[in-house]
Amino acid sequence: MSTARVVMRSIWRKASGKYALTVLGLWVLVSLVSLVWTPHTLLETDGFHAWASPSAAHPLGTDGVGADVLSWLMAGSRTNLAIALLTVAVSGIFGLALVAAMVSRNTVLRSTSVVVVDALISIPTVLIALMLSVPFGASAAVIVAACGFAYGLNLARIARPAAVLAARSQYVESAVWFGASGMRVFVRHIMPNVMPVLLVQLSMSAGTSILAEAGLTYLGVGVGAGVPSWGHSLATSVKFISIYPLTVLWPGLVVTMMVIALHLFGDALRDAIDPLTNPELREAA
């Protein structure tokens, strides 16, 4: 039985893992379906039925211009999925590059990278997004860049102890003694020891990126005005929360469910990939 299959079975056996995998699977499914079908087109509006309550024609009601809330949430699911995946990719690559520098055999590079990470990690993600939005404007790319930069720094700081411990191990010293290059040592011997921490942190980063998208879009530095996203749905309806609370409830509920699912998935994944807590993984190895 492959290691990946053992890990997925271990996650599914936990109640939190079932919830996480089910919700994440629905997220992907809805994102794919929204590419070809939504109950109403996003440009379809009905001013005579603005802020309408849920009905057969509009299961989740309509917003201030009479647009179907469900259609916008479905279309927004693919935007948020793309942002989460791109954030994970950017933060993962950036974080691994920093980890490689922090365990480098070059003393100057190693010391400098540690100081730089400790100095930059204190910069808030919102401030980075605001700085990027000045020259580039509000867009999903700003969210990905800001979150990828901030989460990459955090990932590097968390993964550094495991990387340093592996770099000082006897098998790494043996590989260096036999002439292995620094890149080969990092990829073949150090990175496998960092991957468990990396995978858990990336799942957490995906959940945090959804919250960041909602907050940055509300501040005006997130996705553009015509781009569907959960943060856009929240930002356009939160001003009327005391009058039409349902229009805020639906996107808020979706965001909450996805963030909880991603964090629970990270917790379940941490236990599933640890041989000390997962006996099936030890047997598969």
Side-chain angles (χ1 to χ4, degrees):
M1 187 181 298
S2 64
T3 302
R5 188 176 178 183
V6 172
V7 170
M8 294 304 294
R9 284 184 57 184
S10 300
I11 294 175
W12 182 255
R13 286 178 178 175
K14 300 180 65 175
S16 59
K18 284 186 176 68
Y19 169 82
L21 291 176
T22 302
V23 172
L24 296 179
L26 287 174
W27 184 12
V28 174
L29 178 62
V30 171
S31 299
L32 294 176
V33 171
S34 68
L35 291 173
V36 295
W37 177 83
T38 54
H40 299 269
T41 61
L42 300 185
L43 298 179
E44 180 182 341
T45 59
D46 185 357
F48 294 102
H49 295 87
W51 306 115
S53 300
S55 62
H58 304 283
L60 300 183
T62 62
D63 60 13
V65 296
D68 184 59
V69 173
L70 177 59
S71 300
W72 274 83
L73 289 179
M74 290 181 63
S77 64
R78 61 176 183 261
T79 302
N80 283 84
L81 180 61
I83 290 174
L85 293 177
L86 290 173
T87 298
V88 166
V90 172
S91 61
I93 294 172
F94 182 50
L96 280 175
L98 290 175
V99 171
M102 295 167 80
V103 297
S104 172
R105 283 177 280 172
N106 187 313
T107 305
V108 176
L109 177 60
R110 184 171 65 248
S111 303
T112 303
S113 60
V114 172
V115 173
V116 169
V117 169
D118 288 339
L120 295 180
I121 201 170
S122 61
I123 302 177
T125 306
V126 175
L127 181 58
I128 299 173
L130 290 173
M131 293 171 59
L132 292 175
S133 67
V134 173
F136 301 109
S139 66
V142 169
I143 300 175
V144 172
C147 293
F149 180 79
Y151 302 161
L153 291 171
N154 186 61
L155 187 150
R157 189 172 186 180
I158 293 175
R160 179 176 176 267
V164 171
L165 185 64
R168 294 175 179 174
S169 62
Q170 292 183 353
Y171 56 84
V172 169
E173 293 180 359
S174 300
V176 173
W177 179 262
F178 282 101
S181 64
M183 180 60 68
R184 181 179 178 83
V185 169
F186 181 76
V187 173
R188 293 290 300 274
H189 302 291
I190 298 178
M191 189 182 296
N193 291 277
V194 177
M195 286 306 294
V197 178
L198 177 70
L199 293 175
V200 173
Q201 289 301 313
L202 288 179
S203 66
M204 302 294 184
S205 298
T208 310
S209 69
I210 298 177
L211 293 176
E213 184 274 325
L216 294 174
T217 301
Y218 178 77
L219 294 175
V221 295
V223 298
V227 179
S229 74
W230 297 334
H232 178 270
S233 297
L234 279 171
T236 55
S237 57
V238 71
K239 297 178 181 178
F240 304 94
I241 185 172
S242 61
I243 307 174
Y244 306 104
L246 285 180
T247 56
V248 183
L249 172 64
W250 303 125
L253 183 61
V254 170
V255 169
T256 302
M257 289 176 59
M258 295 306 169
V259 172
I260 292 175
L262 285 166
H263 281 72
L264 290 178
F265 178 76
D267 290 337
L269 180 63
R270 178 183 56 199
D271 296 334
I273 61 179
D274 188 352
L276 296 178
T277 58
N278 188 358
E280 289 189 18
L281 195 61
R282 294 196 299 269
E283 295 174 1

